[in-house]
């Protein structure tokens, strides 16, 4: 895998991070915060990885989904507490503390959107190089 710095994905990461922060700080509803926030978190991870990874990433959305599921599984087993890190706010934010199967569905929606995005980008890239 080659590494490089992609300004467009870095900007996307910063924008999505800002949206996530606004949601976390200011929105306390029963739809945007729990569902849209979980969809966007996989987009955030995708943008971070794409900021530095140059090589083909056809399966990146799948890998991100598996990673998100692993984190959610860690929440089921209360990983922060098992690791002795539950007293740290940042750990509770990053690892999470509440398991919910609906979160996995949101990750799936986000990763499906990312997979579609990847297919469109590859298709456009292929058409542009064929000319």
């Amino acid at each position: 895998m080659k590494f490089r710095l992609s300004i467009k994905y870095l900007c996307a990461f910063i924008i999505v991070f800002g949206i996530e922060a606004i949601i976390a700080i200011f929105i306390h509803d029963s739809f945007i915060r729990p569902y849209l926030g979980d969809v966007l978190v996989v987009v955030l991870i995708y943008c971070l990885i794409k900021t530095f990874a140059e090589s083909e990433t056809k399966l990146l959305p799948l890998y991100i989904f598996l990673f998100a599921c692993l984190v959610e599984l860690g929440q089921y087993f209360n990983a922060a507490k098992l690791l002795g890190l539950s007293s740290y706010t940042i750990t509770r934010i990053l690892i999470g503390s509440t398991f919910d199967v609906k979160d996995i569905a949101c990750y799936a929606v986000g990763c499906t959107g990312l997979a579609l995005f990847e297919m469109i980008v590859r298709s456009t890239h292929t058409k542009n190089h064929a000319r």
Side-chain angles (χ1 to χ4, degrees):
M1 178 187 300
K2 293 181 184 177
F3 291 95
R4 52 94 168 107
L5 181 65
S6 170
I7 298 301
K8 69 179 179 182
Y9 282 108
L10 179 60
C11 289
F13 172 80
I14 292 168
I15 290 167
V16 175
F17 184 82
I19 293 168
E20 285 280 40
I22 289 168
I23 290 171
I25 295 167
F26 298 110
I27 299 178
H28 304 286
D29 68 345
S30 60
F31 180 76
I32 292 175
R33 185 176 180 132
Y35 300 114
L36 184 60
D38 285 342
V39 170
L40 286 178
V41 77
V42 294
V43 175
L44 183 72
I45 294 167
Y46 175 85
C47 290
L48 179 63
I49 292 169
K50 292 290 281 186
T51 296
F52 301 104
E54 186 177 2
S55 66
E56 280 292 316
T57 53
K58 290 179 184 179
L59 296 177
L60 183 58
L62 175 64
Y63 298 148
I64 292 171
F65 176 71
L66 294 174
F67 172 76
C69 288
L70 218 117
V71 171
E72 197 67 27
L73 186 65
Q75 291 173 7
Y76 179 79
F77 291 108
N78 205 352
K81 186 175 181 181
L82 290 173
L83 295 170
L85 301 171
S86 60
S87 61
Y88 300 102
T89 303
I90 190 73
T91 306
R92 287 194 316 272
I93 291 170
L94 292 175
I95 296 176
S97 56
T98 308
F99 173 83
D100 191 345
V101 75
K102 289 180 256 172
D103 291 350
I104 294 172
C106 291
Y107 303 147
V109 168
C111 289
T112 300
L114 290 172
L116 292 171
F117 172 76
E118 287 261 331
M119 288 189 315
I120 291 167
V121 167
R122 270 195 306 279
S123 171
T124 305
H125 183 71
T126 303
K127 286 179 186 175
N128 288 340
H129 281 354
R131 292 181 187 178

